[in-house]
Each structure stands twice: as structure tokens, then as C-alpha cells.
């Protein structure tokens, strides 16, 4: 299969913003790798050295996951970063551990609890997001004079960034009528039911769902799952790159970042 160039939606989509989000998503993955290299210490003992673009970084934002409904494990998932000019970024990494896969598999639905009127969303994503949302809001408050906010993630991280968006604009100073708030995510699964998607798409945050058409992750959960219905949020930004494996077609760095850097030929040789 030959590569198909990336589709570009109209403004306010901005390619450089999408590339910056992809770079920072890879920084979030590197944060997790550093934690693993340090033998997965408790968060009070983890020493993170951000290796992303030169800017200010919050402490890692941790999420707690239930393993076999009994034990909880805590992992670094996200961070807030910002420039001195007030450009703010909230980024989430995707699935890395067995516990992450368990959250992915809890595909039943429950009401979205952070904001009234948002229908239902994926139960595993909701449980994980609920363990970090207060830390996210607190990290965003560290920026004294924000002028913009870009939210992003990859895979499971895109699900978390989608759940974070209505929470942030309803419970912080980051409101789309006052600031430039946009959401760029990579390889997002479906997150919520039609009521959630309808409310989300009217919340005023332009959302761009960057998708490799050969990647299977954006096809889950299926649109119809028993009695539950799932839909995607936002505007798809499609490209086609075939790397011959599930992991290759889904890779944040080797597939998605490469495609954003080479939108006319989004597949490496």
C-alpha cells in the first residue's frame, strides 16, 4: 500500500501546533521510560528530567489504576508545560503497562461526572481520569498569565485528553471564549456515547483527531458494543501509512510524528 498524504482541515488547524503536541507526547512517553529505568519508584522519589522542548514543566501528573479490582498502581501519565509568553500545554502518554491495558478493556459506559449534560463515556477511561483530574487543574493553575492552551495525547492518552477538555474549560480560567484553547490528539479510541460527543463538539474547543487509516486503535471500542454506542469527537485529520504491524501503524514517534513532519509522504522508507 502506498502512503496517502495527510488531509488538512481549515483554520484554526495549525500544523506547527500539531507537531509541537506530538513532540510533547513523546516527552510524556520518555517520562514513563525514565520512571521504569529508575525501577518504578514511588512518586515522591521519582526524579524526572524533561527532555522535550525548552520551556517550564510541572511535576509529573500521576494516575492510579485498579488491578483486578483490588490493588491500585500509580504511574506517571501527563504533565503541564508552558513558555514564558504564556503558551500552555497539557500532554498525556498512552498505554504502556499491563494495568493500562486493563483500563482500555473496561469498555462499559458510565455518566461523565465532571460536567453535567455530557452523557456517558468509557468506564475504564473515566476511572483513570478521575484519579488525576484534580492534579491537572492544580498544575494548570501554576501558570500566572496564560494566553493559550493546547491539549493533546496519543492512544489511551488521547482518551484522557478528551475527558480533560470539558473538565478544564468548566473548572478553570482556560475558557475558549477568553483564551485560545485547542485539542490535538493522535490515534484516539472512541471515548463516549452520542450525547457525550454532541456536548463535546459544541463546547467551543476545536479538536483535531489525527488518524492513520491503517491503525486499528481508533476503531475501538466499536461503534456498537452490546447496548452501548460509541462515536468519535472532533474533526479527523487522516493519512495512510502502512508499516506492516499493529505496533508500527500505531507508533507515536515512528508513525504519527513522522507523518506530521512529512505530511505529503507520511511513511518512512
Amino acid at each position: 500500500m502506498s502512503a496517502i498524504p495527510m488531509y488538512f482541515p481549515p483554520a484554526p488547524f495549525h500544523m506547527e501546533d500539531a507537531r509541537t503536541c506530538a513532540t510533547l507526547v513523546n516527552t510524556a512517553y520518555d517520562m514513563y521510560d525514565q520512571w521504569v529505568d529508575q525501577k518504578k519508584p514511588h512518586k515522591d522519589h521519582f526524579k524526572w528530567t524533561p527532555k522535550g522542548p525548552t520551556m517550564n514543566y510541572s511535576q509529573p501528573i500521576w494516575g492510579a489504576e485498579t488491578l483486578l479490582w483490588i490493588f491500585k498502581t500509580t504511574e506517571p501519565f501527563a504533565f503541564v508545560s508552558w513558555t514564558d509568553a504564556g503558551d500552555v500545554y497539557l500532554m498525556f502518554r498512552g498505554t504502556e503497562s499491563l494495568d493500562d491495558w486493563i483500563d482500555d478493556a473496561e469498555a462499559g459506559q458510565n455518566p461523565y461526572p465532571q460536567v453535567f449534560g455530557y452523557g456517558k463515556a468509557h468506564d475504564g477511561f473515566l476511572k483513570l481520569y478521575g484519579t488525576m483530574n484534580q492534579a491537572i487543574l492544580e498544575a494548570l493553575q501554576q501558570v500566572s498569565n496564560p494566553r493559550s492552551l493546547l491539549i493533546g495525547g496519543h492512544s489511551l492518552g488521547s482518551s484522557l485528553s478528551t475527558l480533560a477538555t470539558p473538565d478544564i474549560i468548566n473548572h478553570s480560567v482556560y475558557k475558549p471564549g477568553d483564551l485560545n484553547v485547542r485539542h490535538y490528539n493522535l490515534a484516539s479510541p472512541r471515548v463516549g456515547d452520542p450525547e457525550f460527543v454532541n456536548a463535546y463538539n459544541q463546547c467551543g474547543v476545536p479538536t483535531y483527531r489525527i488518524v492513520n487509516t491503517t491503525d486499528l486503535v481508533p476503531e475501538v471500542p466499536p461503534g456498537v458494543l452490546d447496548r452501548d454506542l460509541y462515536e468519535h469527537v472532533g474533526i479527523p485529520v487522516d493519512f495512510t501509512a502502512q508499516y506492516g504491524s499493529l505496533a508500527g501503524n500505531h507508533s507515536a514517534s515512528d508513525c504519527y510524528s513522522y507523518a506530521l513532519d512529512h505530511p505529503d509522504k507520511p511513511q518512512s522508507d
Side-chain angles (χ1 to χ4, degrees), residues 35 38 40-48 59-60 62 74 76:
W35 179 63
Q38 294 176 36
K40 299 184 178 180
H42 185 273
K43 62 182 180 180
D44 292 339
H45 302 291
F46 175 44
K47 305 298 183 183
W48 177 41
Q59 292 298 309
W62 299 74
T74 304

Side-chain angles (χ1 to χ4, degrees), residues 227-241:
R227 296 182 180 181
D228 295 330
L229 302 179
Y230 277 97
E231 294 181 359
H232 277 299
V233 301
I235 299 170
V237 181
D238 293 340
F239 67 95
T240 297

Side-chain angles (χ1 to χ4, degrees), residues 53-58 80-84:
T54 301
M55 57 180 72
N56 308 289
Y57 287 83
S58 73
V80 171
S81 59
W82 64 97
T83 67
D84 292 339

Side-chain angles (χ1 to χ4, degrees), residues 172-234:
S172 76
V173 300
Y174 295 85
K175 301 186 185 303
D178 300 327
L179 298 173
N180 185 6
V181 183
R182 280 164 288 157
H183 180 195
Y184 293 84
N185 65 61
L186 313 175
S188 179
R190 296 181 179 94
V191 175
D193 69 0
E195 184 179 356
F196 176 89
V197 171
N198 183 62
Y200 182 99
N201 287 342
Q202 296 184 57
C203 77
V205 178
T207 294
Y208 302 102
R209 188 169 50 82
I210 300 167
V211 181
N212 180 10
T213 61
T214 68
D215 185 358
L216 294 182
V217 170
E219 298 305 316
V220 298
V224 179
L225 184 63
D226 294 328
R227 296 182 180 181
D228 295 330
L229 302 179
Y230 277 97
E231 294 181 359
H232 277 299
V233 301

